[in-house]
Amino acid sequence: MKEFIEGMPKAELHVHLEGTLEPEHIFALAQRNSIELEYSTPEEVVAAYDFHDLPSFLKIYYAAMNVLREEVDFYELACQYFEKAAADNVVYCEPFFDPQAHTSRGVDFKTIITGIRRAQEDAAKNLGVESNLIMCFLRDMSAESAMEHLEMCLPYREWIIGVGLDSDEKDNPPSKFEAVFARAREEGFRLTMHCDVNQKDIHEHIRECLDLIKVDRIDHGVNSLEDESLIRDIVDRGLGLTVCPVSNRFVVQSLTSEEIRTMLNKGMKATVNSDDPAYFRAYMNDNFIELAEEGNFSRDEIVQLSRNAFEIAWLPADRRQAYINELERYSQSAG
Ligand code: ADE
Ligand code: ZN
């Protein structure tokens, strides 16, 4: 199974580029940008990764990204993710970035996006990894700030496929951003939002995503399984869910393998993703392999999870079909 997973073509639809910042890179950037760190070795940084819920994770995540300052820093960050993706046979991805986490520190939007874009172009050319970028708004910042950033990104409209919503979910419901997402829809962006695991008011948040925001997919969304009407609407609308097994383990002490199997059985388009792999110490193959082990997943289930990702990806029909054909060829030929 491990070998089968490693060789399988995959799409990753839920990965925060800032969540791919490796401890060694934090040190290299701190030195180049003359920034003092609280830690003296990358090992000490990893030892301080003590996450048990979303706020405890976000605190460390935002502190570390202070080392990202210049265009080349964002370029290197994204290049390193694409190299990991290529090594894991991720052939297509839709990574998130969090511009407000950088503009709030005085970094220009242009610096961030041109660095990431250059890495995307190089990855497509040199690694054969195709990607489309998703811009996330930080839900613990104001709706006004989100709207400003939506307007800020319009000169780069062609470089961004969709918008998302992440960061601290507590008391920051989708409805807070109704006008921002309505405007994003008018501008032609695809829409997604985090509905993180076991958050306060989570069922209401998922309901608002469906009926108020009318999202094109949901990030996480595992708690939808606790409400029959949410399940029915997600299935009827063919909405995808970007589930992150190893990330979930920090919150619920399991890879949510039973929940993922239930989603497959109910016809919900669940997918496997890494979320913040440098922090959770698990990239795509690790997520698939550990999930298969915990849930004793069959090859058919693993292939279905990968097929779902291509099916819900924001790709034109011909590209989607080409990837699905590649996956089918692989699953039929693998011994
Ligand atoms: N930002 C980065 N990772 C996140 C996650 N898993 N949930 C919410 N916001 C995030
Ligand atoms: Zn996430």
Side-chain angles (χ1 to χ4, degrees):
M1 182 58 92
K2 180 171 180 288
E3 253 173 60
F4 179 79
I5 286 169
E6 286 168 350
M8 181 174 69
K10 288 169 276 283
E12 175 151 55
L13 308 178
H14 185 155
V15 57
H16 302 263
L17 283 176
E18 295 88 346
T20 72
L21 180 56
E22 289 285 341
E24 292 76 14
H25 199 200
I26 296 176
F27 271 81
L29 290 172
Q31 189 164 39
R32 195 165 73 202
N33 292 330
S34 308
I35 297 164
E36 250 188 69
L37 294 176
E38 277 179 51
Y39 307 98
S40 44
T41 64
E43 290 72 28
E44 272 185 31
V45 173
V46 177
Y49 289 170
D50 173 24
F51 322 125
H52 48 276
D53 57 13
L54 188 52
S56 61
F57 164 71
L58 291 171
K59 195 162 167 255
I60 290 169
Y61 169 81
Y62 290 124
M65 65 178 81
N66 182 38
V67 296
L68 295 164
R69 299 281 170 98
E70 310 293 335
E71 191 259 13
V72 65
D73 303 344
F74 291 93
Y75 170 76
E76 284 178 5
L77 174 73
C79 283
Q80 290 185 13
Y81 165 65
F82 290 129
E83 279 163 23
K84 292 263 183 13
D88 276 4
N89 278 312
V90 170
V91 291
Y92 175 72
C93 56
E94 292 176 2
F96 300 128
F97 75 118
D98 284 337
Q100 289 158 293
H102 313 300
T103 57
S104 60
R105 300 181 289 110
V107 181
D108 281 347
F109 188 85
K110 182 182 179 193
T111 300
I112 309 161
I113 194 147
T114 53
I116 296 172
R117 177 69 185 182
R118 196 155 63 86
Q120 287 181 270
E121 287 168 356
D122 285 0
K125 202 167 60 204
N126 303 328
L127 302 169
V129 177
E130 188 185 3
S131 61
N132 281 306
L133 195 58
I134 301 174
M135 181 172 92
C136 281
F137 304 112
L138 302 187
R139 66 199 307 160
D140 42 3
M141 292 185 74
S142 68
E144 290 72 28
S145 172
M147 191 67 97
E148 274 170 29
H149 283 75
L150 180 59
E151 285 171 0
M152 212 180 279
C153 87
L154 292 178
Y156 308 94
R157 175 67 196 82
E158 297 310 310
W159 292 359
I160 300 172
I161 195 145
V163 297
L165 188 68
D166 63 3
S167 202
D168 196 352
E169 189 162 339
K170 185 164 182 277
D171 297 326
N172 292 303
S175 54
K176 175 175 166 185
F177 299 92
E178 185 181 0
V180 177
F181 278 72
R183 171 79 191 280
R185 172 73 83 202
E186 277 171 26
E187 297 288 350
F189 292 101
R190 311 303 288 269
L191 311 182
T192 186
M193 284 185 165
H194 276 55
C195 293
D196 257 285
V197 179
N198 287 2
Q199 295 293 303
K200 175 173 172 258
D201 303 326
I202 189 64
H203 303 110
E204 289 76 13
H205 289 188
I206 299 173
R207 179 48 69 194
E208 286 185 3
C209 276
L210 297 177
D211 294 351
L212 189 66
I213 311 295
K214 299 189 167 59
V215 293
D216 297 299
R217 69 178 180 236
I218 294 176
D219 298 314
H220 298 291
V222 174
N223 295 92
S224 60
L225 288 174
E226 295 149 6
D227 180 328
E228 283 302 326
S229 78
L230 292 176
I231 295 174
R232 194 187 54 235
D233 288 354
I234 288 169
V235 171
D236 287 351
R237 297 179 203 189
L239 277 186
L241 301 162
T242 63
V243 185
C244 306
V246 174
S247 169
N248 290 347
R249 189 166 56 197
F250 286 90
V251 184
V252 294
Q253 287 72 52
S254 105
L255 298 165
T256 57
S257 51
E258 273 320 302
E259 290 86 345
I260 291 170
R261 171 167 287 125
T262 304
M263 287 176 183
L264 293 181
N265 291 341
K266 289 183 181 290
M268 300 162 90
K269 291 187 188 294
T271 62
V272 172
N273 305 271
S274 71
D275 206 0
D276 299 288
Y279 291 91
F280 304 143
R281 314 306 294 156
Y283 283 80
M284 272 292 262
N285 284 351
D286 307 316
N287 271 272
F288 263 105
I289 291 164
E290 291 194 44
L291 177 74
E293 214 166 85
E294 182 187 280
N296 198 19
F297 275 56
S298 68
R299 262 197 199 187
D300 283 352
E301 287 172 315
I302 292 297
V303 171
Q304 184 64 49
L305 286 164
S306 188
R307 189 186 298 112
N308 285 349
F310 291 115
E311 282 179 2
I312 69 167
W314 295 333
L315 277 165
D318 57 335
R319 294 297 302 142
R320 181 193 317 289
Q321 197 54 54
Y323 284 125
I324 292 174
N325 292 346
E326 190 183 333
L327 175 65
E328 297 301 335
R329 266 197 308 276
Y330 176 79
S331 75
Q332 279 157 24
S333 70

